[in-house]
Amino acid sequence: NEEIAFMLDLGSFSSLGEAWVTVLRTLYQQGAAVAYTDNTGEQAEAKEIFGLTFSVADAALPDAIIERHKVQEEYDWMVRNFTVQEHVKELHNETSYASRLFSYMGQKDQVEWVIRRLNENPHTRSATITTFEPLTDEGYIPCVSLLDFQEEAGKLNLTVYCRALDFGCKAYINLVMLQTILQTVSEKAGMPQGRLTLLVKSAHYYRKDEPKVHGILKAEGAV
């Protein structure tokens, strides 16, 4: 019987931007054409790879490739999502990532909790936090779903499970913000930052963004 790999592993990269461009190129060349349906039934034509993983080791910020191609309005929106605790109109009035990470269900600062857990036991295998709030989530189910920190060879790695990421629009900012969280937790846990690994169930971009994707790939010599 033919074996089918669950995840397409793109390997390890030295920068967030390099990883982003490689994902875009892979989607552009290999992505399946789909009618993508998400959250409360929004549907649009997209290119998708079901099951994709990659790592970025010792990434630095700011990232030169991302700085060249970021769209300031969408960049600022996503940074706010990760830093301001509020209900977000564009997300069916569900809570922001900042609320979920720093005031989970209005009760728990998960980032401070995971820092304490790592300080108490740097080798723990359960320094794990989530963005899901299943008692209240209805119109919007978070794309960045689970963050798992683990020490390896003296460095702190972060593995992130994402149910879906739009690499044509917002995913590059997710990478920046996740790297920022890794930097913060590493510093407060007293460990050098290590590897950021993403496991993405649905990696995609919307066909309306294909000219933008092609422009980025052409500018970076990836097509």
Side-chain angles (χ1 to χ4, degrees):
N1 294 332
E2 183 180 356
E3 292 185 3
I4 301 175
F6 174 66
M7 286 277 178
L8 173 61
D9 185 4
L10 299 183
S12 183
F13 301 90
S14 59
S15 77
L16 300 177
E18 181 187 5
W20 175 45
V21 169
T22 302
V23 174
L24 287 179
R25 183 180 63 204
T26 305
L27 285 167
Y28 188 79
Q29 295 175 343
Q30 302 178 34
V34 298
Y36 191 88
T37 304
D38 203 2
N39 289 309
T40 57
E42 305 99 327
Q43 188 175 94
E45 297 301 312
K47 294 192 78 172
E48 179 184 46
I49 290 176
F50 190 79
L52 182 148
T53 183
F54 61 90
S55 296
V56 185
D58 305 316
L61 293 174
D63 181 273
I65 293 174
I66 289 175
E67 289 298 306
R68 279 199 293 274
H69 299 292
K70 72 181 183 183
V71 177
Q72 196 64 50
E73 183 179 3
E74 66 188 23
Y75 192 91
D76 292 344
W77 186 92
M78 184 59 75
V79 170
R80 181 179 180 88
N81 192 12
F82 271 91
T83 56
V84 179
Q85 297 180 34
E86 61 183 354
H87 287 81
V88 183
K89 178 181 64 177
E90 297 88 343
L91 302 178
H92 304 280
N93 212 39
E94 302 284 6
T95 53
S96 65
Y97 280 129
S99 296
R100 296 162 186 270
L101 293 171
F102 301 106
S103 183
Y104 183 82
M105 300 294 292
Q107 300 178 52
K108 182 176 183 179
D109 186 330
Q110 295 195 88
V111 175
E112 283 302 318
W113 175 86
V114 86
I115 291 166
R116 288 198 305 272
R117 197 168 187 84
L118 287 164
N119 280 325
E120 291 166 2
N121 178 8
H123 308 296
T124 180
R125 297 296 191 268
S126 57
T128 309
I129 57 180
T130 184
T131 63
F132 288 149
E133 293 184 340
L135 293 178
T136 55
D137 285 338
E138 292 291 342
Y140 167 72
I141 305 300
C143 297
V144 175
S145 310
L146 182 143
L147 287 71
D148 194 308
F149 298 85
Q150 183 169 311
E151 178 273 340
E152 181 185 22
K155 292 186 175 183
L156 186 65
N157 298 331
L158 171 56
T159 301
V160 183
Y161 173 77
C162 305
R163 67 163 189 84
L165 285 183
D166 175 5
F167 283 88
C169 184
K170 298 174 183 175
Y172 69 97
I173 322 167
N174 292 138
L175 292 176
V176 170
M177 298 313 296
L178 291 168
Q179 184 66 34
T180 301
I181 291 171
L182 174 56
Q183 289 180 348
T184 298
V185 175
S186 295
E187 180 180 342
K188 293 187 176 182
M191 284 183 272
Q193 69 177 31
R195 182 174 65 251
L196 172 66
T197 300
L198 265 68
L199 311 174
V200 187
K201 183 193 72 175
S202 169
H204 62 273
Y205 66 74
Y206 293 103
R207 297 304 288 264
K208 66 180 177 59
D209 293 321
E210 194 151 270
K212 172 186 172 183
V213 169
H214 184 265
I216 293 169
L217 294 176
K218 186 175 181 180
E220 296 300 324
V223 290

